[in-house]
Amino acid sequence: MSSLPAALLATAALAVPLAANPAPSAPSSPSAAHPPAHRPHRGAPERACTLPAGLKEFSGLGVSGKHPGVIYALNDSGNTHQVFAVDCSGATGQLKATFTLGGATNTDWEAMAVGPDESGRPSIHVGDIGDNLAGRAEITVYRFAEPDQLADATVQPTAFRFTYSDGKHDAESLLIDPTNRQLYVASKVMGAAGKLYKAPLPPQPGQVNSLTPVREDPVWTTDGAFSPSGRSYVLRSGGPLGPNTGYVYDAAGTKLAEVALPAQPQGETVTYADCKTLLAGSENDSQIWRVPLPPEAAPGC
């Protein structure tokens, strides 16, 4: 989501562990091991890394399946059609490569997911799925194989076109289940639950694929991701129009926990650093945070 215009504010906006630096001011953990369902779990977030310059409208986040310590990031509408590889193993992120998507357009890039393609190859999925006014006839997901080398390059992605089976929706969340390669999109709604939609398996390039609703998602959902095991997934909300909370579910959609995320302006990104830890970020803040999950939100870990 681009920096929210006043009119919208008035009406509406394969995992590798990463090194972290403690943040003394982060919220402390509560004494209860299993918080009530209505009260978000508050672990002890830590600073992972600060993004390098050039990611001023950071709206998508993924963790490399090939390169230890590397995350992938993108900017949203009005910016280049590029994906940035950032080494986040130190306090200051280092730009390692820029991948330009040949033939792609950045209408409103809002999400990213790193997961297998139909052949099982680690792939980067870019969600051109933002639609603040719910007016787009189609949305697009671009996919390209995760490069073996981190060097600037132009890649030729496969484009998958989608419509929703029940109308037009805004969305900022793209998820890939690593166990069956199922792609999901979560809609974003202010003041009411959105929906989680699934794509055909596999989606087909060269035609329009229909996204069908599966279940409800949280109010003002701004990002989501599956855990590396595929046994759970997270959907997040973020300010200023939603709580800075990660909602963790098992693969069947049963809520496991609510996890407090650091308060950031326009909290828009979340993914898994590993099966026990989330990474979270914001469009208007260059800091990436590590957020530990409570045991009940990390099945199989």
Side-chain angles (χ1 to χ4, degrees):
M1 179 177 62
S2 302
S3 297
L4 289 168
L8 179 59
L9 283 170
T11 60
L14 331 182
V16 183
L18 303 175
N21 298 312
S25 61
S28 59
S29 301
S31 58
H34 300 280
H38 66 277
R39 181 183 176 188
H41 168 82
R42 300 190 67 84
E46 299 176 329
R47 297 179 186 274
C49 74
T50 301
L51 293 171
L55 284 161
K56 61 180 180 179
E57 291 188 287
F58 169 53
S59 292
L61 174 66
V63 172
S64 173
K66 291 186 174 183
H67 307 288
V70 169
I71 62 173
Y72 296 110
L74 55 79
N75 288 320
D76 71 2
S77 58
N79 291 283
T80 61
H81 47 287
Q82 294 176 313
V83 170
F84 305 93
V86 177
D87 185 345
C88 195
S89 59
T92 301
Q94 302 295 320
L95 181 63
K96 305 301 289 185
T98 298
F99 302 113
T100 301
L101 277 61
T105 57
N106 184 345
T107 302
D108 196 357
W109 287 15
E110 290 286 4
M112 176 187 293
V114 180
D117 64 10
E118 61 270 12
S119 300
R121 296 179 304 171
S123 299
I124 298 172
H125 301 71
V126 172
D128 190 351
I129 60 177
D131 189 7
N132 286 337
L133 301 180
R136 296 179 66 177
E138 297 178 7
I139 57 175
T140 303
V141 174
Y142 297 103
R143 185 188 72 196
F144 63 99
E146 184 177 2
D148 292 326
Q149 304 296 325
L150 293 180
D152 293 352
T154 296
V155 297
Q156 299 301 322
T158 301
F160 299 95
R161 298 155 56 203
F162 296 97
T163 59
Y164 298 93
S165 63
D166 58 355
K168 300 173 182 178
H169 303 285
D170 190 16
E172 296 189 357
S173 309
L174 182 68
L175 302 81
I176 302 288
D177 185 336
T179 64
N180 61 9
R181 302 153 195 170
Q182 178 73 62
L183 181 149
Y184 296 88
V185 173
S187 65
K188 184 187 73 176
V189 181
M190 182 175 68
K195 292 180 182 179
L196 185 69
Y197 294 82
K198 68 177 181 179
L201 187 63
Q204 298 298 314
Q207 67 183 53
V208 178
N209 299 268
S210 179
L211 294 165
T212 56
V214 178
R215 60 184 70 97
E216 287 190 347
D217 65 29
V219 173
W220 202 250
T221 299
T222 59
D223 203 5
F226 264 89
S227 70
S229 69
R231 295 184 60 180
S232 58
Y233 65 91
V234 62
L235 295 170
R236 74 157 294 170
S237 185
L241 301 178
N244 288 297
T245 300
Y247 302 87
V248 184
Y249 305 85
D250 68 16
T254 300
K255 187 189 290 185
L256 302 176
E258 296 183 9
V259 180
L261 303 177
Q264 293 179 289
Q266 285 187 235
E268 290 211 4
T269 61
V270 72
T271 193
Y272 281 82
D274 53 52
C275 68
K276 296 181 179 180
T277 313
L278 301 177
L279 294 178
S282 163
E283 180 173 319
N284 291 325
D285 184 356
S286 61
Q287 183 65 55
I288 302 294
W289 291 86
R290 290 173 57 96
V291 181
L293 292 171
E296 65 270 23
C301 291

